[in-house]
Amino acid sequence: MAAKAVNNYRLVDTTLYVTLEPCIMCMGAIIHARIKRVVFGAGDPKWGAAVSLYRLADDTRLNHHPEIVSGILEEQTRHLIKDFFIHKRSI
């Protein structure tokens, strides 16, 4: 939707706010889209590709390096995600 709004798949000078640390596939899309900054709350030690398991934004072999800001409202976002999946499993 964002790419459609700016009429370009590259989202230059944008900031992506998410609750959970992006996975490998998401970081690939973020890098490809040239998103400037990624801000997230909870890290993901099992799948995280921004700071926890991998650090794709720091990989010098890639042509774009988004700024990573982590730990913003970490406890609140962790609870939000946990509650979401508890609810989802109960449906």
Side-chain angles (χ1 to χ4, degrees):
M1 288 173 27
K4 196 176 264 189
V6 297
N7 200 31
N8 192 338
Y9 75 94
R10 290 194 171 155
L11 302 173
V12 179
D13 292 327
T14 60
T15 299
L16 176 66
Y17 296 92
V18 293
T19 53
L20 187 64
E21 178 180 1
C23 69
I24 296 168
M25 185 173 65
C26 292
M27 280 302 296
I30 288 164
I31 291 165
H32 186 66
R34 309 295 197 277
I35 292 174
K36 182 178 183 176
R37 181 181 306 108
V38 178
V39 178
F40 68 89
D44 187 352
K46 188 174 182 180
W47 297 105
V51 297
S52 296
L53 186 60
Y54 302 104
R55 294 180 169 268
L56 290 183
D58 295 338
D59 191 326
T60 57
R61 297 169 294 181
L62 301 174
N63 63 345
H64 178 69
H65 308 280
E67 175 189 352
I68 304 295
V69 180
S70 62
I72 304 300
L73 299 172
E74 184 172 3
E75 282 305 309
Q76 293 92 327
T77 56
R78 194 174 304 283
H79 287 296
L80 183 67
I81 295 164
K82 188 175 182 180
D83 291 346
F84 170 82
F85 283 107
I86 287 171
H87 176 70
K88 186 109 173 129
R89 289 181 190 111
S90 69
I91 296 177

Coordinates of all heavy atoms in Angstrom, one line a residue:
M1 N 0.8 -1.2 0.0 CA 0.0 0.0 0.0 C 0.9 1.3 0.0 O 0.5 2.2 -0.7 CB -1.0 0.0 1.2 CG -2.1 -1.0 1.1 SD -3.2 -1.3 2.5 CE -3.2 0.2 3.4
A2 N 2.0 1.2 0.7 CA 2.9 2.4 0.8 C 3.5 2.6 -0.6 O 3.6 3.8 -1.0 CB 4.0 2.2 1.8
A3 N 3.9 1.5 -1.3 CA 4.5 1.7 -2.6 C 3.5 2.3 -3.6 O 3.8 3.1 -4.4 CB 5.0 0.3 -3.1
K4 N 2.3 1.8 -3.4 CA 1.2 2.4 -4.3 C 1.0 3.8 -4.0 O 0.8 4.6 -5.0 CB -0.1 1.6 -4.1 CG -1.1 1.8 -5.2 CD -2.3 0.9 -5.0 CE -2.1 -0.4 -5.8 NZ -3.3 -1.2 -5.8
A5 N 1.0 4.2 -2.8 CA 0.8 5.6 -2.4 C 1.9 6.6 -3.0 O 1.6 7.7 -3.3 CB 0.7 5.8 -0.9
V6 N 3.1 6.1 -3.0 CA 4.2 6.9 -3.5 C 4.5 6.6 -5.0 O 5.4 7.2 -5.6 CB 5.5 6.9 -2.7 CG1 5.2 7.4 -1.3 CG2 6.0 5.5 -2.6
N7 N 3.8 5.6 -5.5 CA 4.0 5.2 -6.9 C 5.4 4.7 -7.2 O 6.0 5.0 -8.3 CB 3.6 6.3 -7.9 CG 3.3 5.8 -9.3 OD1 2.8 4.6 -9.4 ND2 3.5 6.6 -10.3
N8 N 6.0 4.0 -6.3 CA 7.3 3.5 -6.4 C 7.5 2.4 -5.4 O 7.2 2.5 -4.2 CB 8.3 4.6 -6.1 CG 9.8 4.2 -6.5 OD1 10.1 3.1 -6.6 ND2 10.6 5.3 -6.8
Y9 N 8.1 1.3 -5.8 CA 8.3 0.2 -4.8 C 9.4 0.5 -3.9 O 9.6 -0.1 -2.8 CB 8.6 -1.1 -5.6 CG 10.0 -1.2 -6.2 CD1 11.0 -1.8 -5.5 CD2 10.3 -0.7 -7.4 CE1 12.3 -1.9 -6.0 CE2 11.5 -0.8 -8.0 CZ 12.6 -1.4 -7.3 OH 13.8 -1.5 -7.8
R10 N 10.3 1.5 -4.2 CA 11.3 1.9 -3.3 C 10.7 3.0 -2.3 O 10.2 4.0 -2.8 CB 12.5 2.5 -4.0 CG 13.2 1.4 -4.8 CD 14.6 1.8 -5.2 NE 15.3 0.7 -5.7 CZ 16.2 0.7 -6.6 NH1 16.6 1.9 -7.1 NH2 16.8 -0.4 -7.0
L11 N 10.9 2.7 -1.1 CA 10.3 3.6 0.0 C 11.4 4.4 0.6 O 11.6 4.4 1.8 CB 9.5 2.7 1.0 CG 8.4 1.9 0.4 CD1 7.8 1.0 1.4 CD2 7.3 2.8 -0.3
V12 N 12.1 5.2 -0.2 CA 13.2 6.0 0.3 C 12.7 7.0 1.3 O 11.7 7.5 1.2 CB 13.9 6.7 -1.0 CG1 15.0 7.5 -0.5 CG2 14.3 5.6 -2.0
D13 N 13.6 7.2 2.3 CA 13.3 8.2 3.4 C 12.1 7.9 4.2 O 11.4 8.7 4.6 CB 13.2 9.6 2.8 CG 14.5 10.1 2.3 OD1 15.6 9.7 2.9 OD2 14.6 10.9 1.3
T14 N 11.8 6.6 4.3 CA 10.6 6.2 5.2 C 11.1 5.4 6.4 O 12.2 4.9 6.5 CB 9.7 5.2 4.4 OG1 10.4 4.1 4.0 CG2 9.1 5.9 3.2
T15 N 10.2 5.4 7.4 CA 10.5 4.7 8.6 C 9.4 3.6 8.8 O 8.2 3.9 8.7 CB 10.5 5.6 9.9 OG1 11.6 6.6 9.7 CG2 10.8 4.8 11.1
L16 N 9.8 2.4 9.1 CA 8.9 1.3 9.3 C 8.8 1.0 10.8 O 9.9 0.8 11.4 CB 9.3 0.1 8.5 CG 8.5 -1.2 8.7 CD1 7.1 -1.1 8.2 CD2 9.2 -2.4 8.1
Y17 N 7.6 1.1 11.4 CA 7.4 0.8 12.8 C 6.7 -0.6 12.9 O 5.7 -0.7 12.3 CB 6.6 1.9 13.4 CG 7.2 3.2 13.5 CD1 7.0 4.1 12.4 CD2 8.0 3.6 14.5 CE1 7.6 5.4 12.4 CE2 8.6 4.9 14.5 CZ 8.4 5.7 13.5 OH 9.0 7.0 13.5
V18 N 7.3 -1.5 13.6 CA 6.7 -2.8 13.8 C 6.9 -3.3 15.3 O 7.8 -2.8 16.0 CB 7.4 -3.9 12.9 CG1 7.0 -3.6 11.4 CG2 8.9 -3.9 13.0
T19 N 6.1 -4.2 15.7 CA 6.2 -4.6 17.1 C 7.3 -5.6 17.3 O 8.0 -5.6 18.3 CB 4.8 -5.3 17.5 OG1 4.5 -6.4 16.6 CG2 3.7 -4.3 17.6
L20 N 7.5 -6.5 16.3 CA 8.5 -7.6 16.4 C 9.6 -7.4 15.4 O 9.4 -7.0 14.3 CB 7.8 -8.9 16.2 CG 8.6 -10.2 16.4 CD1 9.0 -10.3 17.9 CD2 7.8 -11.4 16.0
E21 N 10.8 -7.8 15.9 CA 12.0 -7.7 15.0 C 11.7 -8.4 13.7 O 11.2 -9.6 13.7 CB 13.2 -8.3 15.7 CG 14.4 -8.4 14.9 CD 15.6 -9.0 15.6 OE1 15.4 -9.5 16.8 OE2 16.7 -9.1 15.1
P22 N 12.0 -7.8 12.5 CA 11.8 -8.5 11.2 C 12.6 -9.8 11.1 O 13.8 -9.9 11.5 CB 12.3 -7.4 10.2 CG 12.2 -6.1 11.0 CD 12.5 -6.4 12.4
C23 N 12.0 -10.7 10.4 CA 12.7 -12.0 10.0 C 13.6 -11.8 8.8 O 13.7 -10.7 8.3 CB 11.7 -13.1 9.8 SG 10.7 -12.8 8.2
I24 N 14.2 -12.8 8.4 CA 15.1 -12.7 7.2 C 14.4 -12.3 6.0 O 14.9 -11.4 5.2 CB 15.8 -14.1 6.9 CG1 16.7 -14.5 8.1 CG2 16.6 -14.1 5.6 CD1 17.1 -16.0 8.1
M25 N 13.2 -12.8 5.7 CA 12.5 -12.5 4.5 C 12.0 -11.0 4.6 O 12.1 -10.3 3.6 CB 11.2 -13.4 4.3 CG 10.5 -13.1 3.1 SD 9.1 -14.3 2.8 CE 8.0 -13.9 4.1
C26 N 11.6 -10.6 5.7 CA 11.1 -9.2 5.9 C 12.3 -8.2 5.7 O 12.2 -7.2 5.1 CB 10.5 -9.0 7.2 SG 8.9 -9.8 7.4
M27 N 13.5 -8.6 6.3 CA 14.7 -7.7 6.2 C 15.1 -7.6 4.7 O 15.5 -6.6 4.3 CB 15.8 -8.2 7.1 CG 15.7 -7.8 8.5 SD 15.6 -6.0 8.8 CE 17.2 -5.5 8.2
G28 N 15.0 -8.7 4.0 CA 15.3 -8.7 2.6 C 14.4 -7.7 1.8 O 14.8 -6.9 1.0
A29 N 13.1 -7.7 2.1 CA 12.1 -6.8 1.5 C 12.5 -5.3 1.9 O 12.4 -4.4 1.1 CB 10.7 -7.1 1.9
I30 N 12.8 -5.1 3.2 CA 13.1 -3.8 3.7 C 14.4 -3.3 3.0 O 14.4 -2.1 2.6 CB 13.4 -3.9 5.2 CG1 12.1 -4.1 6.0 CG2 14.1 -2.6 5.7 CD1 12.2 -4.6 7.4
I31 N 15.4 -4.1 2.8 CA 16.6 -3.6 2.1 C 16.3 -3.4 0.7 O 16.7 -2.3 0.1 CB 17.7 -4.7 2.3 CG1 18.2 -4.7 3.8 CG2 18.9 -4.4 1.4 CD1 19.0 -5.9 4.2
H32 N 15.6 -4.3 0.0 CA 15.2 -4.1 -1.4 C 14.4 -2.8 -1.6 O 14.6 -2.1 -2.6 CB 14.5 -5.3 -1.9 CG 14.2 -5.3 -3.3 ND1 15.2 -5.3 -4.3 CD2 13.1 -5.2 -4.0 CE1 14.7 -5.3 -5.5 NE2 13.4 -5.2 -5.4
A33 N 13.5 -2.5 -0.7 CA 12.7 -1.3 -0.8 C 13.4 0.0 -0.4 O 12.8 1.1 -0.5 CB 11.4 -1.5 0.0
R34 N 14.6 -0.1 0.1 CA 15.4 1.0 0.5 C 14.8 1.8 1.7 O 14.9 3.0 1.7 CB 15.7 2.0 -0.6 CG 16.2 1.4 -1.9 CD 17.6 0.8 -1.7 NE 18.3 0.6 -2.9 CZ 18.2 -0.5 -3.7 NH1 17.3 -1.4 -3.4 NH2 18.9 -0.6 -4.8
I35 N 14.1 1.1 2.6 CA 13.5 1.8 3.7 C 14.7 2.3 4.6 O 15.6 1.6 4.8 CB 12.6 0.8 4.5 CG1 11.4 0.5 3.7 CG2 12.2 1.3 5.9 CD1 10.5 -0.6 4.3
K36 N 14.5 3.5 5.0 CA 15.6 4.2 5.7 C 15.9 3.7 7.1 O 17.0 3.6 7.5 CB 15.4 5.7 5.7 CG 16.5 6.5 6.3 CD 16.2 8.0 6.2 CE 17.3 8.8 6.8 NZ 17.1 10.3 6.6
R37 N 14.8 3.5 7.8 CA 14.9 3.2 9.3 C 13.8 2.2 9.6 O 12.7 2.3 9.2 CB 14.7 4.5 10.1 CG 14.8 4.3 11.6 CD 14.5 5.7 12.3 NE 15.4 6.7 11.8 CZ 15.0 7.7 11.0 NH1 13.7 7.9 10.7 NH2 15.8 8.7 10.6
V38 N 14.2 1.2 10.5 CA 13.2 0.2 11.0 C 13.2 0.4 12.5 O 14.3 0.4 13.2 CB 13.7 -1.2 10.7 CG1 12.7 -2.2 11.3 CG2 13.7 -1.4 9.2
V39 N 12.1 0.6 13.1 CA 11.9 0.8 14.6 C 11.0 -0.4 15.1 O 9.9 -0.6 14.5 CB 11.3 2.1 14.9 CG1 11.1 2.3 16.4 CG2 12.1 3.3 14.3
F40 N 11.5 -1.2 16.0 CA 10.7 -2.2 16.6 C 10.9 -2.3 18.1 O 11.8 -1.9 18.6 CB 11.0 -3.6 15.9 CG 12.4 -4.1 16.2 CD1 12.6 -5.0 17.2 CD2 13.5 -3.8 15.3 CE1 13.8 -5.5 17.5 CE2 14.7 -4.4 15.6 CZ 14.9 -5.2 16.7
G41 N 9.9 -3.0 18.7 CA 9.9 -3.2 20.1 C 10.6 -4.4 20.6 O 11.7 -4.3 21.2
A42 N 10.0 -5.6 20.3 CA 10.5 -6.8 20.8 C 11.5 -7.5 19.9 O 11.2 -7.6 18.7 CB 9.4 -7.8 21.2
G43 N 12.6 -7.9 20.4 CA 13.5 -8.7 19.6 C 13.0 -10.1 19.4 O 12.1 -10.6 20.1
D44 N 13.6 -10.8 18.4 CA 13.1 -12.2 18.2 C 14.4 -13.1 18.1 O 14.9 -13.3 17.0 CB 12.3 -12.3 16.9 CG 11.7 -13.6 16.6 OD1 12.0 -14.6 17.4 OD2 10.9 -13.7 15.7
P45 N 14.8 -13.7 19.2 CA 16.0 -14.5 19.2 C 15.9 -15.8 18.3 O 17.0 -16.3 17.9 CB 16.2 -14.9 20.7 CG 14.8 -14.7 21.3 CD 14.1 -13.6 20.5
K46 N 14.7 -16.2 18.0 CA 14.6 -17.4 17.1 C 14.7 -17.1 15.6 O 15.2 -17.8 14.9 CB 13.3 -18.1 17.5 CG 13.1 -19.4 16.8 CD 11.8 -20.1 17.3 CE 11.7 -21.5 16.7 NZ 10.5 -22.1 17.1
W47 N 14.1 -15.9 15.2 CA 14.0 -15.6 13.8 C 14.5 -14.2 13.4 O 14.5 -13.9 12.2 CB 12.5 -15.7 13.3 CG 12.0 -17.1 13.4 CD1 11.1 -17.6 14.4 CD2 12.4 -18.2 12.6 NE1 10.9 -18.9 14.2 CE2 11.6 -19.3 13.1 CE3 13.2 -18.4 11.5 CZ2 11.7 -20.6 12.5 CZ3 13.3 -19.7 11.0 CH2 12.5 -20.7 11.5
G48 N 14.9 -13.4 14.4 CA 15.2 -12.0 14.1 C 16.4 -11.8 13.2 O 17.5 -12.4 13.4
A49 N 16.3 -10.9 12.2 CA 17.3 -10.7 11.3 C 17.8 -9.3 11.3 O 18.6 -8.9 10.4 CB 16.9 -11.1 9.9
A50 N 17.5 -8.5 12.3 CA 18.0 -7.1 12.4 C 19.1 -7.0 13.5 O 20.1 -6.4 13.2 CB 16.8 -6.2 12.7
V51 N 18.9 -7.7 14.6 CA 19.9 -7.6 15.7 C 20.1 -8.9 16.5 O 21.1 -9.1 17.0 CB 19.6 -6.5 16.7 CG1 19.6 -5.1 16.0 CG2 18.3 -6.7 17.4
S52 N 19.0 -9.7 16.5 CA 19.1 -10.9 17.4 C 19.9 -12.1 16.8 O 20.9 -12.5 17.4 CB 17.7 -11.4 17.7 OG 17.0 -10.4 18.5
L53 N 19.4 -12.7 15.8 CA 20.0 -13.9 15.2 C 21.0 -13.5 14.1 O 22.1 -14.0 14.0 CB 18.9 -14.8 14.7 CG 19.4 -16.2 14.2 CD1 20.1 -17.0 15.3 CD2 18.2 -17.0 13.7
Y54 N 20.5 -12.6 13.2 CA 21.3 -12.0 12.1 C 21.3 -10.5 12.2 O 20.5 -9.9 12.8 CB 20.7 -12.5 10.7 CG 20.6 -14.0 10.6 CD1 19.4 -14.6 10.7 CD2 21.8 -14.7 10.3 CE1 19.3 -16.0 10.5 CE2 21.7 -16.1 10.1 CZ 20.5 -16.7 10.2 OH 20.4 -18.1 10.1
R55 N 22.2 -9.9 11.5 CA 22.3 -8.4 11.4 C 22.4 -8.0 9.9 O 23.5 -7.6 9.5 CB 23.5 -7.9 12.2 CG 23.4 -8.2 13.7 CD 24.6 -7.6 14.4 NE 24.4 -7.6 15.8 CZ 23.9 -6.6 16.5 NH1 23.6 -5.5 15.9 NH2 23.7 -6.7 17.8
L56 N 21.4 -8.3 9.2 CA 21.4 -8.1 7.7 C 21.6 -6.6 7.4 O 22.3 -6.3 6.3 CB 20.1 -8.6 7.1 CG 20.0 -10.1 7.1 CD1 18.7 -10.5 6.3 CD2 21.2 -10.8 6.4
A57 N 21.2 -5.7 8.2 CA 21.4 -4.3 7.9 C 22.9 -3.9 7.9 O 23.3 -2.9 7.3 CB 20.6 -3.4 8.9
D58 N 23.7 -4.7 8.6 CA 25.1 -4.4 8.7 C 26.0 -5.2 7.7 O 27.2 -5.0 7.7 CB 25.6 -4.8 10.1 CG 25.0 -3.9 11.2 OD1 24.6 -2.8 10.9 OD2 25.0 -4.4 12.4
D59 N 25.3 -6.0 6.9 CA 26.1 -6.8 5.9 C 26.6 -5.9 4.8 O 25.9 -5.4 4.0 CB 25.2 -7.9 5.4 CG 25.9 -8.9 4.6 OD1 26.9 -8.6 3.9 OD2 25.5 -10.1 4.6
T60 N 27.9 -5.8 4.8 CA 28.6 -4.9 3.8 C 28.5 -5.4 2.4 O 28.7 -4.6 1.4 CB 30.1 -4.7 4.1 OG1 30.7 -6.0 4.2 CG2 30.3 -4.1 5.5
R61 N 28.1 -6.6 2.2 CA 27.9 -7.2 0.8 C 26.6 -6.6 0.2 O 26.4 -6.7 -1.0 CB 27.8 -8.7 0.8 CG 29.2 -9.3 1.3 CD 29.0 -10.8 1.5 NE 28.1 -11.0 2.7 CZ 27.8 -12.2 3.2 NH1 28.3 -13.3 2.6 NH2 27.0 -12.3 4.2
L62 N 25.7 -6.1 1.0 CA 24.4 -5.6 0.5 C 24.5 -4.1 0.2 O 25.4 -3.4 0.7 CB 23.3 -5.8 1.5 CG 23.1 -7.3 1.9 CD1 22.1 -7.4 3.0 CD2 22.7 -8.1 0.7
N63 N 23.7 -3.6 -0.7 CA 23.8 -2.3 -1.2 C 23.0 -1.2 -0.4 O 23.0 0.0 -0.8 CB 23.4 -2.2 -2.7 CG 22.0 -2.6 -2.9 OD1 21.3 -3.1 -2.1 ND2 21.5 -2.3 -4.1
H64 N 22.3 -1.6 0.6 CA 21.5 -0.7 1.4 C 21.6 -1.1 2.8 O 21.5 -2.3 3.1 CB 20.0 -0.6 0.9 CG 19.2 0.3 1.7 ND1 19.4 1.7 1.7 CD2 18.2 0.1 2.6 CE1 18.5 2.2 2.5 NE2 17.8 1.3 3.1
H65 N 21.7 -0.2 3.7 CA 21.8 -0.5 5.1 C 20.9 0.4 6.0 O 21.3 1.5 6.4 CB 23.3 -0.2 5.6 CG 24.3 -0.9 4.7 ND1 24.5 -2.3 4.8 CD2 25.0 -0.5 3.6 CE1 25.4 -2.6 3.9 NE2 25.7 -1.6 3.1
P66 N 19.7 -0.1 6.2 CA 18.7 0.7 7.0 C 19.2 0.8 8.4 O 19.9 0.0 9.0 CB 17.4 -0.1 6.9 CG 17.9 -1.5 6.6 CD 19.1 -1.4 5.8
E67 N 18.8 2.0 9.0 CA 19.1 2.2 10.4 C 18.2 1.3 11.2 O 17.0 1.2 10.9 CB 18.9 3.7 10.8 CG 19.0 4.0 12.2 CD 18.6 5.4 12.5 OE1 18.3 6.2 11.6 OE2 18.5 5.7 13.7
I68 N 18.7 0.7 12.3 CA 17.8 -0.2 13.1 C 17.7 0.4 14.5 O 18.7 0.7 15.1 CB 18.4 -1.6 13.2 CG1 18.6 -2.2 11.8 CG2 17.6 -2.5 14.1 CD1 17.4 -2.5 11.1
V69 N 16.5 0.6 15.0 CA 16.2 1.1 16.3 C 15.4 0.0 17.0 O 14.3 -0.3 16.6 CB 15.5 2.4 16.3 CG1 15.2 2.9 17.7 CG2 16.2 3.5 15.5
S70 N 15.9 -0.5 18.1 CA 15.2 -1.7 18.7 C 14.9 -1.3 20.2 O 15.5 -0.4 20.8 CB 16.1 -2.9 18.6 OG 17.3 -2.7 19.3
G71 N 14.0 -2.1 20.7 CA 13.7 -2.0 22.2 C 12.7 -0.9 22.5 O 12.6 -0.6 23.7
I72 N 12.1 -0.3 21.6 CA 11.1 0.7 21.9 C 9.8 0.1 22.4 O 9.2 -0.7 21.8 CB 10.8 1.6 20.6 CG1 12.0 2.1 20.0 CG2 9.7 2.6 20.9 CD1 12.8 3.0 20.9
L73 N 9.5 0.5 23.6 CA 8.3 -0.1 24.3 C 8.3 -1.6 24.3 O 7.3 -2.3 24.0 CB 7.0 0.4 23.7 CG 6.8 1.9 23.8 CD1 5.6 2.4 23.0 CD2 6.7 2.4 25.2
E74 N 9.5 -2.2 24.6 CA 9.7 -3.6 24.4 C 8.7 -4.5 25.2 O 8.1 -5.4 24.6 CB 11.1 -4.0 24.8 CG 11.4 -5.4 24.6 CD 12.9 -5.8 24.8 OE1 13.7 -4.9 25.2 OE2 13.3 -6.9 24.6
E75 N 8.5 -4.2 26.4 CA 7.6 -5.0 27.2 C 6.1 -4.9 26.7 O 5.4 -5.9 26.6 CB 7.6 -4.7 28.7 CG 8.8 -5.2 29.4 CD 8.9 -6.8 29.2 OE1 7.9 -7.5 29.5 OE2 10.0 -7.3 28.8
Q76 N 5.7 -3.7 26.4 CA 4.3 -3.5 25.8 C 4.1 -4.3 24.5 O 3.1 -4.9 24.3 CB 4.0 -2.0 25.7 CG 4.0 -1.3 27.0 CD 5.3 -0.6 27.4 OE1 6.4 -1.2 27.1 NE2 5.2 0.5 28.0
T77 N 5.1 -4.2 23.6 CA 5.0 -4.9 22.3 C 5.0 -6.4 22.5 O 4.3 -7.1 21.8 CB 6.0 -4.4 21.3 OG1 7.3 -4.6 21.8 CG2 5.8 -2.9 20.9
R78 N 5.8 -6.8 23.4 CA 5.9 -8.3 23.7 C 4.6 -8.8 24.2 O 4.1 -9.8 23.7 CB 7.0 -8.6 24.7 CG 7.4 -10.0 24.8 CD 8.6 -10.3 25.7 NE 9.8 -9.6 25.4 CZ 10.6 -9.9 24.4 NH1 10.3 -10.9 23.6 NH2 11.7 -9.2 24.2
H79 N 3.9 -8.1 25.1 CA 2.6 -8.4 25.6 C 1.6 -8.4 24.5 O 0.7 -9.2 24.4 CB 2.2 -7.6 26.8 CG 3.0 -7.9 28.0 ND1 2.9 -9.1 28.7 CD2 3.9 -7.2 28.7 CE1 3.7 -9.1 29.7 NE2 4.3 -7.9 29.8
L80 N 1.6 -7.3 23.7 CA 0.7 -7.2 22.6 C 0.7 -8.4 21.6 O -0.3 -9.0 21.2 CB 1.0 -5.9 21.8 CG 0.1 -5.5 20.6 CD1 -1.3 -5.2 21.2 CD2 0.7 -4.3 19.9
I81 N 1.9 -8.8 21.3 CA 2.1 -10.0 20.4 C 1.6 -11.2 21.0 O 0.9 -12.0 20.4 CB 3.6 -10.1 19.9 CG1 4.0 -8.9 19.1 CG2 3.8 -11.4 19.2 CD1 5.5 -8.8 19.0
K82 N 2.0 -11.4 22.3 CA 1.6 -12.6 23.0 C 0.1 -12.7 23.1 O -0.5 -13.8 22.9 CB 2.2 -12.6 24.4 CG 2.1 -13.9 25.2 CD 2.8 -13.8 26.5 CE 2.7 -15.1 27.3 NZ 3.4 -15.0 28.5
D83 N -0.6 -11.6 23.5 CA -2.0 -11.6 23.6 C -2.7 -11.8 22.3 O -3.7 -12.5 22.2 CB -2.5 -10.2 24.2 CG -2.1 -10.1 25.6 OD1 -1.7 -11.1 26.3 OD2 -2.2 -8.9 26.1
F84 N -2.1 -11.3 21.2 CA -2.7 -11.5 19.8 C -2.7 -13.0 19.5 O -3.7 -13.5 19.1 CB -1.8 -10.7 18.8 CG -2.2 -11.1 17.4 CD1 -3.3 -10.5 16.8 CD2 -1.4 -12.0 16.7 CE1 -3.6 -10.9 15.5 CE2 -1.8 -12.4 15.4 CZ -2.9 -11.8 14.8
F85 N -1.6 -13.7 19.8 CA -1.6 -15.1 19.4 C -2.4 -16.0 20.4 O -2.9 -17.0 19.9 CB -0.1 -15.6 19.3 CG 0.5 -15.2 18.0 CD1 1.5 -14.2 18.0 CD2 0.1 -15.8 16.8 CE1 2.0 -13.8 16.8 CE2 0.7 -15.3 15.6 CZ 1.6 -14.3 15.6
I86 N -2.5 -15.6 21.6 CA -3.4 -16.3 22.5 C -4.8 -16.2 22.0 O -5.5 -17.2 21.9 CB -3.3 -15.7 24.0 CG1 -1.9 -16.2 24.6 CG2 -4.4 -16.2 24.8 CD1 -1.6 -15.5 25.9
H87 N -5.2 -15.0 21.6 CA -6.6 -14.8 21.1 C -6.8 -15.6 19.8 O -7.8 -16.2 19.5 CB -6.8 -13.3 20.9 CG -8.2 -13.0 20.2 ND1 -9.3 -13.2 20.9 CD2 -8.5 -12.6 19.0 CE1 -10.3 -12.9 20.1 NE2 -9.8 -12.5 18.9
K88 N -5.8 -15.5 18.9 CA -5.8 -16.2 17.6 C -6.0 -17.7 17.8 O -6.8 -18.3 17.0 CB -4.6 -15.9 16.8 CG -4.5 -16.4 15.4 CD -4.7 -15.2 14.5 CE -4.5 -15.7 13.1 NZ -5.6 -15.2 12.2
R89 N -5.3 -18.3 18.7 CA -5.4 -19.7 18.9 C -6.7 -20.1 19.5 O -7.1 -21.3 19.4 CB -4.2 -20.2 19.8 CG -2.9 -20.1 19.1 CD -1.7 -20.6 20.0 NE -0.5 -20.3 19.4 CZ 0.4 -19.4 19.8 NH1 0.2 -18.8 20.9 NH2 1.5 -19.2 19.2
S90 N -7.4 -19.2 20.2 CA -8.6 -19.6 20.9 C -9.8 -19.5 19.9 O -10.9 -19.9 20.3 CB -8.9 -18.6 22.1 OG -9.1 -17.3 21.7
I91 N -9.6 -19.0 18.8 CA -10.7 -18.8 17.8 C -11.0 -20.1 17.1 O -10.2 -20.9 16.7 CB -10.4 -17.7 16.8 CG1 -10.3 -16.4 17.5 CG2 -11.5 -17.6 15.7 CD1 -10.0 -15.2 16.6

